[in-house]
Amino acid sequence: MIDIGRPLDLDTVQAFVLIADFASFTRAAQALDTSQAAISLKLKRLEERLGYRLLERTPRHVQLTPRGEQFIQAARSLLLAHERALGDMSVPESRRLVIGISDHVAGPDLPQLLSRLAQYDPLLIIEVRIGSSRDLSAAFDRGELDAAIVRSEGEQHGGEVLVVERFGWFAAPTWQHSPGSVLRLATMASPCGVRQLAVRVLDEAAIAWTEVFVGGGVMAVGAAVSAGLGVAALARRVAPAGAVEVGEQLGLPSLPMTEIILHARPTDARSQETLRVLSAAFRGVQER
């Protein structure tokens, strides 16, 4: 029997919601800037308070129990009501977070990333700007962005390394390259850092190349790859569905690993919490 006279602890409710959203104790702990042991203890206290299990967990898998599925909606409503109750003081009821995300980073995981932020902070107005890492880093330095997720191009120091990513040479499965012929490239327009990286390693390997398509974004380059126009240097995560890595087959030089960096400038405690969730969410979607 649940003791309805004793209120729920909001910290334990928030911990439960984050574990469920991330399907990970590790990422939930990162989002709350605490340890996995502390997160596990919060969940245990909440389950003891309610009198039933909310999550089934194994070393590799976390999922809601049927009772957890029922409780999570009420948990979200409780946290939202708490946010609204506190929204009349130092933090406005609705806040805006301006995030820059590199075109080579956004990829198909962007909807899931935004969903994580919206679930954590329903009152948040999210403004996302997609652009080149170079342009977004400059915009962050000018104070135009609260946060930027960009490729490290060696020009800006600091920030949090989210993942280290490998780039490869991708083409359509039906694409054919004649031995000895000039390599046909689909690229983004200069001064794209990935383009510069790709042509540099080709030149160093003395491989003749020519641009057959120049796109204004990764989506356009991916479309050119899918259409069989040529080869593109892309991260596996943003390569178009069905594209295959052809670097080894064609004897192309390896592309170096690159760091994906989060630069953040929180303006208040709540924004700092939200940016931790952004970091944890990005790491989480890369692991799946």
Side-chain angles (χ1 to χ4, degrees):
M1 179 72 69
I2 299 174
D3 179 8
I4 60 175
R6 185 160 56 93
L8 294 175
D9 178 75
L10 288 173
D11 287 343
T12 64
V13 175
Q14 184 182 60
F16 157 66
V17 169
L18 285 173
I19 296 167
D21 285 346
F22 287 122
S24 168
F25 282 74
T26 300
R27 297 303 165 217
Q30 181 188 4
L32 292 177
D33 195 25
T34 188
S35 66
Q36 282 185 252
I39 284 286
S40 297
L41 181 59
K42 288 178 186 292
L43 178 65
K44 180 181 178 182
R45 287 173 176 168
L46 180 61
E47 289 179 329
E48 289 176 349
R49 169 70 180 83
L50 294 172
Y52 50 78
R53 291 179 67 84
L54 296 169
L55 294 167
E56 296 292 350
R57 58 270 200 194
T58 67
R60 294 188 176 183
H61 190 63
V62 176
Q63 70 176 25
L64 290 166
T65 64
R67 298 296 295 270
E69 292 275 7
Q70 293 178 333
F71 179 72
I72 196 166
Q73 298 306 320
R76 293 192 198 281
S77 297
L78 176 61
L79 294 174
L80 177 58
H82 179 253
E83 285 299 307
R84 291 190 184 280
L86 296 180
D88 59 351
M89 291 297 186
S90 58
V91 181
E93 182 171 315
S94 63
R95 297 180 300 108
R96 182 182 295 270
L97 191 66
V98 185
I99 308 168
I101 304 180
S102 167
D103 205 5
H104 278 283
V105 173
D109 298 323
L110 183 57
Q112 187 176 354
L113 193 64
L114 298 179
S115 174
R116 289 284 183 266
L117 289 178
Q119 288 173 344
Y120 179 74
D121 192 349
L123 301 180
L124 181 68
I125 299 171
I126 305 169
E127 179 179 338
V128 173
R129 301 180 188 177
I130 305 294
S132 71
S133 292
R134 183 171 302 179
D135 289 344
L136 294 175
S137 294
F140 179 80
D141 288 341
R142 292 194 299 268
E144 298 172 6
L145 303 174
D146 299 310
I149 300 178
V150 296
R151 288 182 56 255
S152 174
E153 297 188 344
E155 298 174 357
Q156 189 175 30
H157 301 287
E160 175 189 354
V161 177
L162 297 177
V163 294
V164 178
E165 194 162 57
R166 186 174 66 86
F167 279 67
W169 302 99
F170 287 89
T174 56
W175 186 77
Q176 297 291 325
H177 175 70
S178 301
S181 62
V182 174
L183 183 68
R184 296 166 62 84
L185 290 182
T187 71
M188 286 176 60
S190 183
C192 170
V194 174
R195 178 193 181 279
Q196 291 179 344
L197 178 65
V199 300
R200 176 173 60 79
V201 298
L202 290 175
D203 288 343
E204 289 174 351
I207 294 176
W209 58 271
T210 184
E211 284 178 323
V212 296
F213 179 86
V214 179
V218 169
M219 184 177 294
V221 173
V225 167
S226 296
L229 299 187
V231 174
L234 295 167
R236 178 177 294 276
R237 185 170 44 82
V238 301
V244 294
E245 204 165 350
V246 296
E248 184 176 351
Q249 171 190 338
L250 300 180
L252 300 179
S254 298
L255 293 160
M257 306 289 279
T258 186
E259 292 180 337
I260 305 302
I261 306 289
L262 169 65
H263 297 286
R265 187 184 295 109
T267 56
D268 54 66
R270 182 58 172 159
S271 293
Q272 187 172 15
E273 294 171 6
T274 304
L275 289 171
R276 283 201 302 267
V277 170
L278 173 64
S279 170
F282 188 89
R283 293 173 188 270
V285 297
Q286 306 317 307
E287 294 171 353
R288 298 184 181 182

